C-alpha cells in the first residue's frame, strides 16, 4: 500500500494541529456553529441524532493490520466498542465526543489515517473494486491511479467549497462495474488503446440520492499523463456553474443533465485545453513511484492443491463457504476471501473492537497484513494461500465472519437509518434484522441465488437502495414510518436505477412483501435463472399484480 | 482606518468597496472598488477619474473583465458567504489564464480558516470580516507548510518539485 513519506506525514500532523485549534476556538465561542460546521465536516465529523458521528477515511478501502488495530483501540477508548463499514469503504464511529475528536485524529495520524474530506462539499474518498490488484479480470491495478487522485484531491485549494459533495470511483474491470462508477460524480474507467497505452474513459454526472441517475461519458480516452488535468477541468466547470441556491439541485448530475452532456464536454474541453501539457501533467517517474507501492507481495504457494480438494470434498460447510465467500485470484494457489459482516442479528457492516483486533491478526497470519473494506459493507483478505483456507475458515467461523451469504439476499446493504441518523424518515436496521431472520435458512438462501437487497432510511440513499435488485426506502407518511419498495435496480455488471413497486408498506408488512416477491420469483424462474434476470424477463407488472392484486 | 492583509502583512486599507446606494450619489474621493455592472456602464468616466478597481460577485466571471485588466490595479472577489467557493476558481483564472499581476482581494465573509486555500488560488489581499480579529486571521496563512498540488504561488505539483 502507499507508504507515507516525510511530507505526507507532516501534512497530516499540520492538519491535526489546525483542527485542534479550530475545535478550541469553537468551544471558546470564537467560531459560529455554521463556520465550524464546514470545518468539522471536512474532518469527518457529523452531529447526529444522539451524538456526533465520525467518518474515518480508508483510501480506496485499503487498510494495514496496524491501522485496523488502531481503529480497534479508538472504538474501545473513544466510542462504544464498535464501528461501521460504510458503502464508501470508509469506517464510521457512532458515538465519539466532539471534544475528543482532535485526540482521535492525532491517534489516527500516527498510523497515517485521518478524516480528511470524508464529508462536506468537497472531493471525498476515492473508491474502487475491493479486489483491486488481485482481480484476474482487471486490465491493470487501479490502486496507483486512486492514490494519484487521492493526493490531487487532498486539500485541493480550489475545490474545498464546491456546491455539493463530490465522489470519484475508479474501475479497471471491462464489462463489469465492481466500483459502481456509473453512479458516481466522476467515474474513471481504465482502458487500454490499440497501442496498449493506458488511458481513461471518464464519466461524469452519476449519483444516487434523491434524483438517482447514471453518468455520461465526457472523455472517451484521456491519456494517463492528463488524468489530473482532465479531472481538474471537470471540477472547475462544476465549481463555477453548479447550482448553489438549492442543495437538492447542487450535485454535478443536475448540472450535466441541465446543460446536456455535449455542452458539458465542450466546457470541459475549453478548460482542459488550458491545462493540458501544463505542470499538472503526470510524469512517468511519479507514476512508477506510486506503482512501486502496490507491487505484489511475496507469494509463495505450492502448486499442489490436493489437500484443499480433499477438504472441499469432505466438508460441506467449508465447501459452501469456499464457493460463496472466496474469489478467484490473479496468482495461482491464492484466493481472495470476503469476511461477511452480515450474520443474522448483527447490524450489517458493524464490527466490534475485539473483532477488529482479531481480523488484524488474521491479516498478519494469512494475508500479508492487509485488509480491504468493500462497498457492500464487508471486509476482504485479498491474498490467502489455498493451503491456509481451511484454517482461516475455521477461525472466521468462530468470529462470526464466515456466514456463507456473500451476494445472497441476507448480504444486505443497510444505512444506519432512524436508530442513529437525524435525517432518517424511518429505521432501517430493524427491517434488515427482520429480513435476516426470515431468510436465515442457508439451503433456502443458496437456492435463491444472487440477490442484492439494499435498505436506506431516507431518499439520501446511503444504503444504495436504488441499485438493489430489491430496494427498500424509508418514507415518512404523516409522521409514520413507511417503506417503499423498488425492483430491478442493478449495481453489478452495469448500473441501473430500480422502479417503484407501488404504494408503500408499514414496517411489519415489509418482510412479508419481500417473501411474496421471492415466492413469485421461485415460481417463475427458469433453471439457474437469477432473480434479476427473471425480473427483467417477466416484468414489473407481474410483481405488482401479485403484491397488490 | 480599516486594516487589510496584503502580502502577508496587516496594513491600512486604502480602498473602499462600493455597492448599492453608495453608487447612486456622487462617488466619494479616493480609491474605490465598484461593482462590475457599474464599471461596464461607466467605464470611460471611471478610467478618466482613476483610482478605480472592480469587484466581482459570484456568477460574474473574470472573462467579463478580459479587456479591462490593463486598466485595473486591483480586482476584488466578493464572498457573500464563505461557503460559496466560486471565487476560488475566479482568482485562479485571473492569475493563470489572464496573467493578472495586480492585487486580488477577497472581500465579504472572509475568515481565518479559508485564508490558506484562498492564498493558494491567487488572492494576495484579505479584508477580514469586521467582527473578527485580523491579527488572529493572519495565522491562517501559515496553516500548512506543504501541499500536494501546484498552485498559483508555485505551479509545480509535489512530483515536479526538486
Ligand atoms: C448517519 C449519518 C449520515 C448522514 C447524515 C448522511 C447524509 C447523507 C446525505 C444528505 C446524502 C445525500 C447527498 C446528496 O444527494 O447530495 C447522503 C448520500 C450518501 N451517503 Fe450518507 N449519510 C450518513 C451516513 C452514511 C453512511 C453510514 C453511509 C455508508 C453506509 C453513507 C453513504 C452514503 C452514500 C453511498 C450516499 C449516496 C451518494 C450519492 O448520492 O451518490 N452515508 N448521505
Ligand atoms: S439514507 Fe437517510 S437515513 Fe440512511 S444514513 Fe443516509 S441520511 Fe441517514
Amino acid at each position: 500500500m502507499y507508504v507515507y513519506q516525510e511530507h505526507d506525514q507532516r501534512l497530516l500532523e499540520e492538519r491535526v494541529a489546525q483542527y485542534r485549534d479550530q475545535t478550541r476556538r469553537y468551544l471558546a465561542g470564537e467560531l459560529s456553529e455554521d463556520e465550524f460546521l464546514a470545518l468539522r465536516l471536512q474532518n469527518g465529523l457529523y452531529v447526529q441524532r444522539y451524538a456526533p458521528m465520525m467518518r474515518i477515511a480508508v483510501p480506496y478501502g485499503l487498510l494495514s493490520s496496524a491501522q485496523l488495530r488502531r481503529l480497534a483501540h479508538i472504538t474501545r477508548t473513544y466510542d462504544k466498542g464498535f464501528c461501521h463499514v460504510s458503502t464508501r469503504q470508509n469506517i464510521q464511529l457512532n458515538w465519539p465526543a466532539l471534544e475528543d475528536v482532535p485526540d482521535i485524529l492525532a491517534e489516527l495520524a500516527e498510523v497515517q489515517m485521518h478524516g480528511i474530506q470524508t464529508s462536506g462539499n468537497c472531493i471525498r474518498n476515492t473508491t474502487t473494486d475491493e479486489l483491486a490488484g488481485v482481480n484476474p479480470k482487471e486490465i491493470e491495478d487501479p490502486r496507483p491511479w486512486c492514490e494519484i487522485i487521492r493526493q490531487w484531491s487532498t486539500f485541493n485549494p480550489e475545490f474545498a467549497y464546491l456546491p455539493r459533495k463530490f465522489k470519484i470511483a475508479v474501475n479497471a474491470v471491462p464489462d463489469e462495474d465492481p466500483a459502481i462508477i456509473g453512479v458516481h460524480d466522476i467515474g474513471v474507467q481504465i482502458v487500454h488503446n490499440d497501442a496498449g497505452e493506458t488511458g481513461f474513459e471518464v464519466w461524469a454526472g452519476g449519483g444516487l440520492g434523491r434524483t438517482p441517475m447514471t453518468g455520461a461519458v465526457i472523455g472517451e480516452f484521456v491519456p494517463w499523463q492528463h488524468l489530473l488535468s482532465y479531472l481538474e477541468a471537470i471540477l472547475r466547470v462544476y465549481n463555477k456553474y453548479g447550482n448553489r441556491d438549492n442543495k437538492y439541485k447542487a450535485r454535478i448530475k443536475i448540472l450535466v443533465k441541465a446543460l446536456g452532456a455535449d455542452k458539458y464536454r465542450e466546457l470541459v474541453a475549453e478548460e482542459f485545453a488550458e491545462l493540458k501539457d501544463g505542470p499538472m501533467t503526470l510524469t512517468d517517474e511519479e507514476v512508477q513511484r506510486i506503482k512501486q507501492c502496490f507491487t505484489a507481495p511475496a507469494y509463495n504457494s505450492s502448486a499442489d492443491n490436493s489437500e484443499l480438494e480433499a477438504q472441499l470434498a469432505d466438508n460441506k460447510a467449508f465447501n459452501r463457504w469456499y464457493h460463496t465467500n472466496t474469489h478467484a485470484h490473479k496468482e495461482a494457489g491464492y484466493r481472495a476471501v470476503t469476511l461477511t459482516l452480515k450474520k443474522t442479528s448483527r447490524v450489517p457492516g458493524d464490527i466490534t473492537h475485539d473483532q477488529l483486533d482479531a481480523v488484524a491478526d488474521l491479516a498478519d497470519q494469512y494475508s500479508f497484513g492487509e485488509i480491504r473494506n468493500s462497498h457492500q459493507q464487508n471486509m476482504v483478505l485479498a491474498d490467502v494461500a489455498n493451503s491456509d483456507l481451511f484454517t482461516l475458515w475455521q477461525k472466521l467461523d468462530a468470529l462470526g465472519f464466515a456466514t456463507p451469504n456473500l451476494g445472497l439476499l441476507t448480504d444486505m446493504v443497510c444505512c444506519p437509518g432512524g436508530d442513529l441518523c437525524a435525517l432518517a424518515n424511518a429505521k432501517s436496521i430493524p427491517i434488515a434484522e427482520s429480513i435476516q431472520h426470515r431468510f436465515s435458512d442457508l439451503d433456502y438462501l443458496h437456492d435463491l441465488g444472487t440477490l442484492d437487497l439494499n435498505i436506506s432510511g431516507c431518499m439520501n440513499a446511503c444504503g444504495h437502495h436504488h441499485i438493489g435488485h430489491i430496494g427498500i426506502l424509508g418514507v415518512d407518511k404523516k409522521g409514520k414510518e413507511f417503506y417503499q419498495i423498488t425492483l430491478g435496480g442493478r449495481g453489478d455488471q452495469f448500473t441501473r436505477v430500480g422502479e417503484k413497486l407501488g404504494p408503500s408498506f408499514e414496517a411489519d408488512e415489509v418482510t412479508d412483501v419481500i417473501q411474496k416477491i421471492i415466492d413469485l420469483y421461485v415460481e417463475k424462474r427458469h433453471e439457474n435463472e437469477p432473480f434479476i434476470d427473471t425480473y427483467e424477463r417477466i416484468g414489473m407488472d407481474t410483481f405488482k399484480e401479485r403484491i397488490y392484486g | 482606518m480599516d486594516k487589510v492583509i496584503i502580502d502577508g502583512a496587516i496594513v491600512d486599507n486604502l480602498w473602499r468597496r462600493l455597492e448599492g446606494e453608495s453608487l447612486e450619489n456622487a462617488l466619494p474621493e479616493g480609491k474605490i472598488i465598484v461593482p462590475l455592472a457599474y464599471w461596464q456602464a461607466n467605464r470611460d468616466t471611471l478610467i478618466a477619474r482613476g483610482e478605480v478597481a472592480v469587484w466581482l460577485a459570484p456568477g460574474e466571471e473574470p472573462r467579463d473583465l478580459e479587456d479591462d485588466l490593463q486598466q485595473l490595479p486591483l480586482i476584488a472577489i466578493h464572498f457573500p458567504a464563505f461557503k460559496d467557493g466560486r471565487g476560488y476558481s475566479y482568482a485562479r483564472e485571473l492569475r493563470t489564464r489572464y496573467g493578472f499581476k495586480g492585487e486580488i482581494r477577497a472581500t465579504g465573509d472572509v475568515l481565518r480558516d479559508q485564508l490558506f486555500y484562498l492564498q493558494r488560488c491567487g488572492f494576495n489581499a484579505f479584508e477580514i470580516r469586521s467582527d473578527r480579529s485580523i491579527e488572529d486571521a493572519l495565522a491562517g496563512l501559515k496553516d500548512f507548510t506543504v501541499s500536494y498540488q501546484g498552485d498559483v504561488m508555485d505551479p509545480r505539483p509535489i512530483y515536479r518539485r526538486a
Side-chain angles (χ1 to χ4, degrees), chain A residues 225-410:
Chain A
Q225 296 88 335
H226 305 307
L227 174 66
L228 298 182
S229 317
Y230 201 79
L231 296 181
E232 181 125 334
I234 295 181
L235 261 299
R236 185 160 300 147
V237 172
Y238 171 57
N239 191 40
K240 288 201 291 179
Y241 305 118
N243 186 320
R244 290 176 185 267
D245 300 327
N246 178 349
K247 77 171 191 174
Y248 300 128
K249 295 197 173 356
R251 297 278 298 270
I252 189 178
K253 60 190 173 185
I254 308 286
L255 181 63
V256 172
K257 180 106 177 170
L259 295 174
D262 288 338
K263 178 69 187 170
Y264 204 93
R265 194 175 299 121
E266 200 182 298
L267 292 173
V268 169
E270 231 170 82
E271 296 288 347
F272 182 57
E274 183 185 318
L275 295 168
K276 188 169 177 285
D277 297 316
M280 297 179 69
T281 309
L282 282 164
T283 61
D284 198 37
E285 295 91 288
E286 173 65 358
V287 175
Q288 290 313 323
R289 176 181 84 87
I290 303 278
K291 284 190 173 173
Q292 285 312 309
C293 298
F294 298 94
T295 49
Y299 292 125
N300 175 22
S301 101
S302 86
D304 178 14
N305 278 331
S306 54
E307 195 190 348
L308 173 65
E309 277 156 25
Q311 290 158 339
L312 288 169
D314 288 349
N315 189 318
K316 185 161 173 260
F318 174 62
N319 188 305
R320 172 171 269 169
W321 172 82
Y322 175 89
H323 285 107
T324 313
N325 288 19
T326 77
H327 314 265
H329 198 287
K330 265 185 192 170
E331 180 77 9
Y334 280 81
R335 302 284 288 180
V337 172
T338 298
L339 284 54
T340 43
L341 276 52
K342 308 290 177 68
K343 196 177 152 72
T344 306
S345 298
R346 176 202 292 278
V347 174
D350 274 8
I351 181 164
T352 64
H353 64 97
D354 41 353
Q355 289 169 334
L356 288 165
D357 277 332
V359 172
D361 291 346
L362 294 178
D364 281 341
Q365 262 179 297
Y366 301 113
S367 196
F368 301 96
E370 284 184 11
I371 304 95
R372 292 114 183 270
N373 290 342
S374 83
H375 78 269
Q376 278 96 353
Q377 304 177 297
N378 292 314
M379 286 184 169
V380 172
L381 296 177
D383 295 294
V384 182
N386 285 349
S387 52
D388 289 331
L389 285 170
F390 191 80
T391 324
L392 176 62
W393 169 67
Q394 291 175 313
K395 293 186 178 176
L396 289 176
D397 196 39
L399 283 170
F401 291 144
T403 313
N405 63 351
L406 185 68
L408 306 181
L409 191 150
T410 53

Side-chain angles (χ1 to χ4, degrees), chain B residues 14-48:
Chain B
L14 305 174
W15 290 86
R16 180 158 161 216
R17 193 174 69 88
L18 303 178
E19 61 186 328
E21 281 172 16
S22 59
L23 290 158
E24 283 163 25
N25 308 316
L27 294 175
E29 295 288 303
K31 296 172 185 267
I32 53 171
I33 313 177
V34 300
L36 176 67
Y38 189 89
W39 165 261
Q40 286 168 335
N42 303 285
R43 195 170 180 277
D44 293 342
T45 335
L46 287 169
I47 291 173

Side-chain angles (χ1 to χ4, degrees), chain A residues 415-418 421-426 428 456-463:
Chain A
C415 80
C421 172
L423 303 178
N425 286 326
S428 46
S456 305
C458 76
M459 70 291 236
N460 287 321
C462 306

Side-chain angles (χ1 to χ4, degrees), chain A residues 60 89 127-132 135 138 142 170-173 178-179 372:
Chain A
Y60 33 96
Q89 301 183 294
T127 54
T128 191
D129 182 7
E130 67 268 19
L131 300 180
N135 189 336
E138 73 190 13
V170 182
N171 177 30
V173 181
R372 292 114 183 270

Side-chain angles (χ1 to χ4, degrees), chain A residues 8 14 154 236 241 274, chain B residues 61 89 92 97 145 148-149:
Chain A
D8 302 284
E14 289 172 354
T154 299
R236 185 160 300 147
Y241 305 118
E274 183 185 318
Chain B
E61 292 188 49
S89 287
R92 194 217 54 94
R97 178 173 301 171
T145 59
Y148 285 125
Q149 313 78 7

